[in-house]
């Protein structure tokens, strides 16, 4: 029987919006991957701004976030009802939700399908433990993107092991490498030509700790005068504060804010180092993407994700307390867990991070070796290798 003659199953992917963010980027990729075998519907609560392309049918439920406790509760119930109705009317076999509000709505919906609510960062697992407990008791599975989080959840909710799954994020290495060939915009070429560039890509939220990046950069500049730092990304409650902190830097002329970039790979691939300073993660797409285009990474050894990417086969070593070279990059201790924009407050972890950056910027042989190892590691985590995992989950 030809594939066209088979009845394809229907799958729903549920999101708050598609404005920006790692979960949204991942959901976009998941829609394209699943569309190879399933009919895909992408449901969003707010379609006022859409920055990621999706495969399948795009559905705006027109239920943006409410203001105030009562209105938010009413909106949440409406979202749950809309999901339940959609699942029934479109014969959805499997539904995935991403980020907190969609997870709540899917868990509350009681929809008659296989349900996977996502857990994509460690702190969210702890803070939203009541949600995950509720979801597990009401017929949902929990899908993680790092084994360290699944292990923690097994400890928190014993007896639910058959409802907990880990599937690494979908990274399209070939597309990343193709996008990396695109020329830089003229306004950034001179910066790259005149600096040894450190690229940093994320929203400006508390977990990303851009203030620690700026402090370490300040230390680095004393040894590497031509070092340059470029921030890729936008949005988040700390964007203005980070920008103001950068303006106060002695080296403000060597710090660039490029904002949202649809093609980050042309920036990251031309950088000498990719940096991440998070104090917690889930599974950091940005590190794998940097490795895919050959840019070695310096990352904090936070819970969870960086070690699973950079030390394949032995991800659960004790978290490091000093700069540590590993298979595919350099891990460093976490620098802070709360915002601190004072350049005068420097700790040993900032110095270790600056030391790691200096090591990579000055050791061409190490950089080349980590670049090659990183590309191989990214291929292990590529969409082609992860495809069957998601097909099996969706096919139940």
């Amino acid at each position: 029987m030809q594939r066209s003659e088979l009845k394809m199953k229907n799958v729903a992917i549920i999101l708050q919006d598609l404005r920006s963010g790692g979960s949204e980027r991942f959901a976009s990729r998941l829609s394209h991957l699943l569309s190879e075998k399933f009919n895909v519907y992408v449901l969003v609560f707010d379609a006022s701004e859409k920055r990621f392309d999706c495969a399948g049918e795009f559905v705006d439920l027109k239920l943006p976030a409410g203001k105030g406790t009562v209105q938010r509760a009413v909106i949440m119930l409406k979202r749950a009802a809309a999901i339940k109705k959609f699942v029934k009317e479109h014969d959805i076999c499997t539904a995935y939700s991403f980020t907190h509000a969609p997870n709540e709505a899917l868990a509350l919906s009681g929809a008659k399908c296989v349900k996977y609510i996502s857990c994509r960062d460690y702190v969210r697992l702890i803070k939203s433990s009541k949600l995950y407990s509720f979801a597990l008791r009401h017929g949902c599975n929990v899908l993680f993107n790092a084994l360290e989080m699944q292990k923690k959840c097994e400890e928190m909710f014993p007896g639910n092991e058959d409802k907990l799954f880990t599937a690494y994020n979908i990274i399209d290495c070939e597309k990343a490498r193709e996008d990396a060939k695109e020329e830089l915009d003229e306004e950034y070429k001179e910066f790259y030509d005149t600096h040894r560039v450190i690229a940093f890509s994320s929203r400006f939220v508390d977990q990303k700790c851009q203030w620690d990046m700026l402090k370490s950069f300040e230390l680095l500049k004393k040894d590497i005068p031509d070092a340059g730092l470029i921030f890729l990304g936008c949005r988040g409650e700390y964007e203005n504060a980070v920008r103001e902190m950068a303006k106060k830097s002695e080296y403000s002329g060597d710090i660039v804010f490029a904002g949202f970039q649809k093609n980050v790979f042309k920036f990251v691939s031309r950088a000498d180092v990719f940096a991440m300073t998070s104090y917690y993660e889930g599974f950091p797409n940005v590190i794998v993407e940097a490795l895919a285009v050959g840019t070695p990474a310096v990352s904090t050894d936070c819970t969870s994700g960086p070690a699973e990417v950079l030390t394949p086969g032995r991800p659960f070593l004790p978290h490091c307390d000093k700069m540590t070279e590993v298979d595919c990059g350099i891990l460093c201790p976490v620098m802070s867990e709360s915002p601190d924009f004072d350049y005068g407050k420097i700790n040993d972890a900032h110095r270790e991070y600056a030391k790691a950056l200096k090591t990579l910027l000055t050791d061409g042989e190490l950089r080349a070796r980590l670049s090659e190892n990183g590309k191989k590691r990214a291929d292990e985590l590529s969409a082609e290798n992860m495809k069957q995992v998601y097909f099996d989950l969706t096919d139940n």
Side-chain angles (χ1 to χ4, degrees):
M1 183 179 289
Q2 297 296 316
R3 177 184 164 185
S4 59
E5 296 174 336
L6 297 171
K7 182 180 178 182
M8 297 169 67
K9 293 182 177 180
N10 299 331
V11 178
I13 298 173
I14 306 164
L15 298 140
Q16 174 71 30
D17 55 50
L18 284 166
R19 291 177 184 172
S20 64
S23 291
E24 291 79 3
R25 186 188 299 275
F26 170 75
S28 167
R29 290 173 180 165
L30 181 62
S31 73
H32 286 279
L33 184 148
L34 293 181
S35 67
E36 295 180 21
K37 191 175 178 182
F38 306 95
N39 293 319
V40 175
Y41 296 88
V42 178
L43 282 61
V44 298
F45 299 145
D46 182 359
S48 58
E49 192 175 356
K50 182 184 175 188
R51 283 177 164 161
F52 297 113
D53 296 324
C54 293
E57 185 173 331
F58 184 73
V59 180
D60 181 8
L61 295 177
K62 297 181 177 164
L63 290 167
K67 295 180 180 180
T69 304
V70 174
Q71 189 178 12
R72 284 197 296 270
V74 170
I75 290 293
M76 182 56 63
L77 292 174
K78 288 183 177 179
R79 289 171 172 177
I83 290 170
K84 183 174 184 178
K85 180 181 179 183
F86 190 92
V87 165
K88 182 178 181 179
E89 291 180 349
H90 292 80
D91 192 24
I92 301 296
C93 73
T94 305
Y96 293 90
S97 61
F98 295 94
T99 70
H100 187 72
N103 283 347
E104 283 186 323
L106 182 58
L108 284 167
S109 72
K112 302 300 182 183
C113 66
V114 176
K115 300 180 285 291
Y116 293 102
I117 69 167
S118 64
C119 181
R120 306 181 70 77
D121 72 59
Y122 187 81
V123 168
R124 177 61 69 183
L125 171 61
I126 306 303
K127 287 185 175 180
S128 300
S129 59
K130 289 182 180 179
L131 168 61
Y132 295 113
S133 176
F134 175 88
L136 289 167
R137 294 197 313 269
H138 291 81
C140 292
N141 304 293
V142 182
L143 180 64
F144 302 92
N145 54 1
L147 281 168
E148 191 170 359
M149 286 192 291
Q150 180 178 333
K151 288 179 178 293
K152 179 63 176 179
C153 195
E154 288 172 356
E155 295 173 7
M156 293 167 64
F157 308 115
N160 287 284
E161 290 79 7
D162 61 335
K163 299 177 184 177
L164 307 178
F165 301 87
T166 293
Y168 289 138
N169 293 350
I170 299 164
I171 308 296
D172 191 338
C173 294
E174 292 308 313
K175 187 176 188 306
R177 290 162 185 158
E178 190 61 33
D179 288 349
K181 297 175 185 177
E182 184 180 319
E183 288 294 317
L184 279 176
D185 304 321
E186 286 296 328
E187 62 182 305
Y188 300 112
K189 281 185 177 179
E190 183 180 356
F191 180 78
Y192 273 77
D193 288 342
T194 56
H195 292 85
R196 282 185 266 187
V197 176
I198 300 159
F200 193 113
S201 178
S202 78
R203 294 177 299 141
F204 294 83
V205 293
D206 63 347
Q207 76 181 84
K208 303 299 182 179
C209 303
Q210 283 93 344
W211 44 88
D212 288 325
M213 180 69 250
L214 288 171
K215 291 180 183 183
S216 295
F217 184 70
E218 198 90 350
L219 296 171
L220 175 71
K221 286 289 285 184
K222 301 182 190 311
D223 294 323
I224 311 289
D226 63 343
L229 174 61
I230 185 166
F231 286 108
L232 305 162
C234 65
R235 297 178 67 202
E237 58 186 318
Y238 294 108
E239 181 173 5
N240 290 337
V242 172
R243 285 177 177 269
E244 286 301 313
M245 184 179 179
K247 286 180 184 178
K248 295 175 183 176
S249 171
E250 181 181 349
Y251 310 104
S252 58
D254 300 303
I255 303 169
V256 170
F257 289 84
F260 175 82
Q261 296 290 332
K262 191 168 185 179
N263 180 3
V264 298
F265 302 108
K266 63 183 179 182
F267 293 90
V268 173
S269 64
R270 290 172 172 83
D272 297 277
V273 177
F274 182 82
M276 194 180 81
T277 57
S278 302
Y279 83 86
Y280 70 90
E281 278 291 334
F283 185 87
N285 292 349
V286 289
I287 291 183
V288 185
E289 291 168 345
L291 300 186
V293 297
T295 304
V298 174
S299 173
T300 45
D301 185 17
C302 64
T303 305
S304 63
E308 285 190 48
V309 175
L310 298 176
T311 60
R314 49 190 183 99
F316 302 121
L317 297 174
H319 292 289
C320 66
D321 58 4
K322 62 181 179 179
M323 164 192 153
T324 304
E325 181 187 328
V326 293
D327 300 3
C328 302
I330 298 179
L331 291 170
C332 295
V334 168
M335 290 171 271
S336 70
E337 296 185 2
S338 59
D340 185 347
F341 302 99
D342 183 353
Y343 282 111
K345 294 182 180 178
I346 300 291
N347 60 39
D348 288 342
H350 292 115
R351 296 183 184 92
E352 287 296 306
Y353 199 89
K355 180 181 174 182
L357 292 172
K358 179 183 176 181
T359 298
L360 267 185
L361 288 175
T362 56
D363 189 336
E365 183 178 330
L366 173 63
R367 200 163 60 247
R369 184 170 73 252
L370 293 180
S371 175
E372 284 306 306
N373 289 349
K375 284 187 279 190
K376 293 175 184 176
R377 177 58 173 153
D379 285 336
E380 291 174 359
L381 299 168
S382 68
E384 195 59 36
N385 283 337
M386 293 305 301
K387 181 187 297 186
Q388 194 58 48
V389 175
Y390 284 98
F391 284 175
D392 289 344
L393 284 170
T394 307
D395 242 343
N396 313 316

